[in-house]
Short mmCIF file of all heavy atoms in Angstrom, two decimals:
data_model
loop_
_atom_site.label_atom_id
_atom_site.label_comp_id
_atom_site.label_asym_id
_atom_site.label_seq_id
_atom_site.Cartn_x
_atom_site.Cartn_y
_atom_site.Cartn_z
N GLY A 31 118.88 136.39 78.12
CA GLY A 31 117.89 135.36 78.41
C GLY A 31 118.11 134.68 79.73
O GLY A 31 117.35 133.81 80.09
N GLY A 32 119.15 135.04 80.42
CA GLY A 32 119.36 134.46 81.73
C GLY A 32 118.20 134.77 82.66
O GLY A 32 117.76 133.91 83.42
N TRP A 33 117.68 135.98 82.57
CA TRP A 33 116.54 136.33 83.43
C TRP A 33 115.27 135.66 82.97
O TRP A 33 114.39 135.36 83.75
CB TRP A 33 116.38 137.85 83.46
CG TRP A 33 116.05 138.48 82.14
CD1 TRP A 33 116.91 138.85 81.17
CD2 TRP A 33 114.74 138.76 81.65
NE1 TRP A 33 116.23 139.34 80.10
CE2 TRP A 33 114.89 139.31 80.36
CE3 TRP A 33 113.46 138.59 82.16
CZ2 TRP A 33 113.82 139.70 79.60
CZ3 TRP A 33 112.40 138.98 81.39
CH2 TRP A 33 112.58 139.53 80.12
N LYS A 34 115.18 135.35 81.65
CA LYS A 34 114.00 134.63 81.16
C LYS A 34 113.99 133.19 81.68
O LYS A 34 112.92 132.64 82.00
CB LYS A 34 113.97 134.61 79.64
CG LYS A 34 113.52 135.92 79.03
CD LYS A 34 113.29 135.77 77.54
CE LYS A 34 112.74 137.06 76.98
NZ LYS A 34 112.41 136.94 75.55
N LYS A 35 115.15 132.61 81.80
CA LYS A 35 115.23 131.26 82.36
C LYS A 35 114.86 131.30 83.84
O LYS A 35 114.19 130.40 84.35
CB LYS A 35 116.62 130.69 82.17
CG LYS A 35 116.71 129.22 82.54
CD LYS A 35 117.99 128.63 82.04
CE LYS A 35 117.90 127.12 82.18
NZ LYS A 35 118.93 126.42 81.46
N GLY A 36 115.30 132.35 84.54
CA GLY A 36 114.90 132.51 85.95
C GLY A 36 113.42 132.67 86.11
O GLY A 36 112.81 132.10 87.04
N ILE A 37 112.78 133.43 85.21
CA ILE A 37 111.34 133.59 85.25
C ILE A 37 110.66 132.24 84.97
O ILE A 37 109.64 131.90 85.62
CB ILE A 37 110.86 134.67 84.26
CG1 ILE A 37 111.17 136.05 84.82
CG2 ILE A 37 109.38 134.54 83.94
CD1 ILE A 37 110.75 137.18 83.93
N SER A 38 111.22 131.46 84.07
CA SER A 38 110.63 130.16 83.75
C SER A 38 110.73 129.20 84.93
O SER A 38 109.81 128.44 85.21
CB SER A 38 111.32 129.55 82.54
OG SER A 38 111.12 130.35 81.40
N ILE A 39 111.84 129.25 85.65
CA ILE A 39 111.99 128.39 86.83
C ILE A 39 111.01 128.81 87.91
O ILE A 39 110.35 127.99 88.56
CB ILE A 39 113.45 128.42 87.33
CG1 ILE A 39 114.36 127.72 86.34
CG2 ILE A 39 113.56 127.78 88.70
CD1 ILE A 39 115.83 127.90 86.57
N MET A 40 110.86 130.13 88.12
CA MET A 40 109.91 130.65 89.09
C MET A 40 108.48 130.28 88.68
O MET A 40 107.66 129.95 89.51
CB MET A 40 110.06 132.15 89.24
CG MET A 40 109.15 132.73 90.30
SD MET A 40 109.39 132.03 91.93
CE MET A 40 110.83 132.93 92.42
N ASP A 41 108.22 130.30 87.36
CA ASP A 41 106.91 129.91 86.84
C ASP A 41 106.58 128.47 87.23
O ASP A 41 105.47 128.18 87.69
CB ASP A 41 106.92 130.07 85.31
CG ASP A 41 105.63 129.65 84.67
OD1 ASP A 41 105.45 128.45 84.38
OD2 ASP A 41 104.78 130.54 84.42
N PHE A 42 107.54 127.57 87.06
CA PHE A 42 107.34 126.17 87.40
C PHE A 42 107.08 126.01 88.89
O PHE A 42 106.15 125.27 89.30
CB PHE A 42 108.59 125.36 86.98
CG PHE A 42 108.45 123.89 87.20
CD1 PHE A 42 107.72 123.10 86.32
CD2 PHE A 42 109.01 123.27 88.31
CE1 PHE A 42 107.56 121.74 86.53
CE2 PHE A 42 108.88 121.91 88.52
CZ PHE A 42 108.15 121.13 87.63
N ILE A 43 107.85 126.69 89.74
CA ILE A 43 107.68 126.59 91.19
C ILE A 43 106.31 127.13 91.61
O ILE A 43 105.60 126.53 92.43
CB ILE A 43 108.82 127.30 91.93
CG1 ILE A 43 110.15 126.57 91.68
CG2 ILE A 43 108.53 127.42 93.42
CD1 ILE A 43 111.37 127.34 92.11
N LEU A 44 105.91 128.25 91.03
CA LEU A 44 104.60 128.82 91.37
C LEU A 44 103.45 127.92 90.90
O LEU A 44 102.42 127.83 91.56
CB LEU A 44 104.46 130.22 90.76
CG LEU A 44 105.24 131.33 91.44
CD1 LEU A 44 105.10 132.62 90.67
CD2 LEU A 44 104.79 131.50 92.88
N ARG A 45 103.65 127.25 89.78
CA ARG A 45 102.63 126.31 89.32
C ARG A 45 102.43 125.16 90.32
O ARG A 45 101.33 124.72 90.57
CB ARG A 45 102.97 125.75 87.93
CG ARG A 45 102.67 126.72 86.82
CD ARG A 45 102.92 126.16 85.46
NE ARG A 45 102.90 127.29 84.53
CZ ARG A 45 101.80 127.87 84.10
NH1 ARG A 45 100.64 127.41 84.47
NH2 ARG A 45 101.89 128.88 83.27
N LEU A 46 103.54 124.69 90.89
CA LEU A 46 103.43 123.63 91.89
C LEU A 46 102.65 124.14 93.11
O LEU A 46 101.82 123.42 93.67
CB LEU A 46 104.82 123.15 92.30
CG LEU A 46 105.64 122.40 91.23
CD1 LEU A 46 107.01 122.07 91.75
CD2 LEU A 46 104.89 121.15 90.78
N SER A 102 99.74 121.75 82.58
CA SER A 102 100.57 122.83 82.07
C SER A 102 102.05 122.69 82.48
O SER A 102 102.88 123.44 81.96
CB SER A 102 100.05 124.18 82.55
OG SER A 102 100.28 124.37 83.94
N LEU A 103 102.34 121.79 83.39
CA LEU A 103 103.74 121.64 83.83
C LEU A 103 104.71 121.28 82.68
O LEU A 103 105.81 121.84 82.64
CB LEU A 103 103.83 120.59 84.94
CG LEU A 103 103.28 121.01 86.30
CD1 LEU A 103 103.34 119.87 87.30
CD2 LEU A 103 104.00 122.23 86.84
N PRO A 104 104.36 120.39 81.75
CA PRO A 104 105.31 120.14 80.64
C PRO A 104 105.62 121.39 79.82
O PRO A 104 106.76 121.59 79.38
CB PRO A 104 104.62 119.08 79.79
CG PRO A 104 103.67 118.41 80.73
CD PRO A 104 103.24 119.45 81.71
N PHE A 105 104.61 122.24 79.60
CA PHE A 105 104.85 123.48 78.85
C PHE A 105 105.77 124.41 79.63
O PHE A 105 106.59 125.11 79.08
CB PHE A 105 103.53 124.16 78.51
CG PHE A 105 102.69 123.39 77.54
CD1 PHE A 105 101.66 122.59 77.97
CD2 PHE A 105 102.97 123.45 76.18
CE1 PHE A 105 100.91 121.87 77.11
CE2 PHE A 105 102.21 122.73 75.28
CZ PHE A 105 101.17 121.92 75.73
N SER A 106 105.61 124.42 80.95
CA SER A 106 106.47 125.23 81.79
C SER A 106 107.93 124.71 81.72
O SER A 106 108.88 125.49 81.73
CB SER A 106 105.97 125.22 83.24
OG SER A 106 106.74 126.05 84.05
N ILE A 107 108.08 123.40 81.66
CA ILE A 107 109.43 122.81 81.54
C ILE A 107 110.04 123.18 80.21
O ILE A 107 111.23 123.47 80.12
CB ILE A 107 109.36 121.28 81.72
CG1 ILE A 107 108.99 120.96 83.21
CG2 ILE A 107 110.66 120.61 81.34
CD1 ILE A 107 108.70 119.51 83.46
N VAL A 108 109.22 123.24 79.13
CA VAL A 108 109.73 123.63 77.83
C VAL A 108 110.25 125.07 77.89
O VAL A 108 111.29 125.37 77.28
CB VAL A 108 108.62 123.49 76.74
CG1 VAL A 108 109.02 124.19 75.47
CG2 VAL A 108 108.35 122.02 76.49
N THR A 109 109.55 125.96 78.62
CA THR A 109 110.04 127.33 78.72
C THR A 109 111.33 127.43 79.54
O THR A 109 112.06 128.41 79.37
CB THR A 109 108.98 128.28 79.30
OG1 THR A 109 108.65 127.87 80.62
CG2 THR A 109 107.74 128.28 78.44
N ILE A 110 111.58 126.48 80.39
CA ILE A 110 112.86 126.44 81.13
C ILE A 110 113.98 126.02 80.19
O ILE A 110 115.05 126.60 80.15
CB ILE A 110 112.78 125.50 82.35
CG1 ILE A 110 111.83 126.05 83.39
CG2 ILE A 110 114.18 125.31 82.97
CD1 ILE A 110 111.56 125.12 84.54
N ILE A 111 113.71 124.98 79.40
CA ILE A 111 114.74 124.46 78.50
C ILE A 111 115.00 125.44 77.36
O ILE A 111 116.16 125.67 76.98
CB ILE A 111 114.30 123.09 77.93
CG1 ILE A 111 114.20 122.07 79.06
CG2 ILE A 111 115.24 122.60 76.85
CD1 ILE A 111 113.53 120.77 78.69
N ARG A 112 113.94 126.06 76.83
CA ARG A 112 114.08 127.02 75.74
C ARG A 112 113.48 128.34 76.16
O ARG A 112 112.30 128.63 75.84
CB ARG A 112 113.37 126.48 74.47
CG ARG A 112 113.98 125.17 73.99
CD ARG A 112 113.40 124.76 72.70
NE ARG A 112 113.56 125.82 71.73
CZ ARG A 112 112.98 125.84 70.56
NH1 ARG A 112 112.21 124.85 70.20
NH2 ARG A 112 113.15 126.84 69.73
N PRO A 113 114.21 129.15 76.90
CA PRO A 113 113.65 130.39 77.45
C PRO A 113 113.26 131.43 76.38
O PRO A 113 112.49 132.33 76.68
CB PRO A 113 114.72 130.91 78.37
CG PRO A 113 115.99 130.26 77.97
CD PRO A 113 115.59 128.95 77.33
N HIS A 114 113.77 131.28 75.17
CA HIS A 114 113.45 132.27 74.12
C HIS A 114 112.27 131.83 73.27
O HIS A 114 111.88 132.55 72.35
CB HIS A 114 114.67 132.51 73.24
CG HIS A 114 115.81 133.12 74.00
ND1 HIS A 114 115.78 134.43 74.43
CD2 HIS A 114 116.97 132.60 74.44
CE1 HIS A 114 116.88 134.68 75.09
NE2 HIS A 114 117.63 133.60 75.12
N ALA A 115 111.71 130.64 73.54
CA ALA A 115 110.57 130.17 72.76
C ALA A 115 109.31 130.93 73.22
O ALA A 115 108.94 130.87 74.38
CB ALA A 115 110.38 128.68 72.94
N ASN A 116 108.69 131.64 72.31
CA ASN A 116 107.53 132.44 72.65
C ASN A 116 106.22 131.67 72.54
O ASN A 116 105.24 132.03 73.18
CB ASN A 116 107.45 133.70 71.78
CG ASN A 116 108.54 134.69 72.15
OD1 ASN A 116 108.99 134.71 73.29
ND2 ASN A 116 108.95 135.50 71.19
N PRO A 118 105.19 128.47 73.51
CA PRO A 118 104.66 127.87 74.73
C PRO A 118 104.26 128.90 75.78
O PRO A 118 103.26 128.74 76.49
CB PRO A 118 105.80 126.99 75.26
CG PRO A 118 106.69 126.78 74.10
CD PRO A 118 106.52 127.96 73.20
N ARG A 119 105.02 129.98 75.85
CA ARG A 119 104.71 131.03 76.84
C ARG A 119 103.40 131.73 76.50
O ARG A 119 102.58 131.99 77.40
CB ARG A 119 105.86 132.04 76.89
CG ARG A 119 105.91 132.80 78.18
CD ARG A 119 107.12 133.66 78.22
NE ARG A 119 108.40 133.00 78.18
CZ ARG A 119 109.01 132.51 79.26
NH1 ARG A 119 108.48 132.62 80.43
NH2 ARG A 119 110.19 131.94 79.14
N LEU A 122 100.55 129.40 77.39
CA LEU A 122 100.33 129.40 78.85
C LEU A 122 99.63 130.67 79.31
O LEU A 122 98.75 130.61 80.19
CB LEU A 122 101.64 129.23 79.60
CG LEU A 122 102.25 127.82 79.54
CD1 LEU A 122 103.62 127.82 80.21
CD2 LEU A 122 101.34 126.79 80.18
N LEU A 187 101.58 134.37 87.69
CA LEU A 187 102.04 133.64 86.50
C LEU A 187 101.76 134.42 85.23
O LEU A 187 102.60 134.48 84.33
CB LEU A 187 101.35 132.28 86.45
CG LEU A 187 101.79 131.26 87.48
CD1 LEU A 187 100.91 130.01 87.42
CD2 LEU A 187 103.25 130.86 87.28
N MET A 190 104.18 137.50 85.10
CA MET A 190 105.58 137.11 84.79
C MET A 190 105.73 136.65 83.34
O MET A 190 106.69 137.03 82.68
CB MET A 190 106.00 135.97 85.74
CG MET A 190 106.31 136.44 87.13
SD MET A 190 106.78 135.14 88.32
CE MET A 190 107.07 133.71 87.37
N SER A 191 104.78 135.90 82.84
CA SER A 191 104.87 135.44 81.44
C SER A 191 104.72 136.62 80.48
O SER A 191 105.38 136.67 79.45
CB SER A 191 103.79 134.40 81.16
OG SER A 191 104.05 133.22 81.86
N ALA A 194 108.02 138.36 80.34
CA ALA A 194 109.02 137.63 79.58
C ALA A 194 108.71 137.72 78.08
O ALA A 194 109.64 137.73 77.27
CB ALA A 194 109.02 136.17 80.02
#
Side-chain angles (χ1 to χ4, degrees):
W33 64 275
K34 283 189 177 184
K35 189 166 191 167
I37 283 180
S38 298
I39 292 170
M40 183 59 79
D41 179 275
F42 184 79
I43 293 168
L44 286 175
R45 282 183 194 282
L46 293 176
S102 72
L103 288 177
F105 292 99
S106 183
I107 291 171
V108 167
T109 62
I110 293 172
I111 296 170
R112 299 186 56 190
H114 296 288
N116 289 333
R119 203 175 296 274
L122 287 175
L187 290 172
M190 285 178 12
S191 292

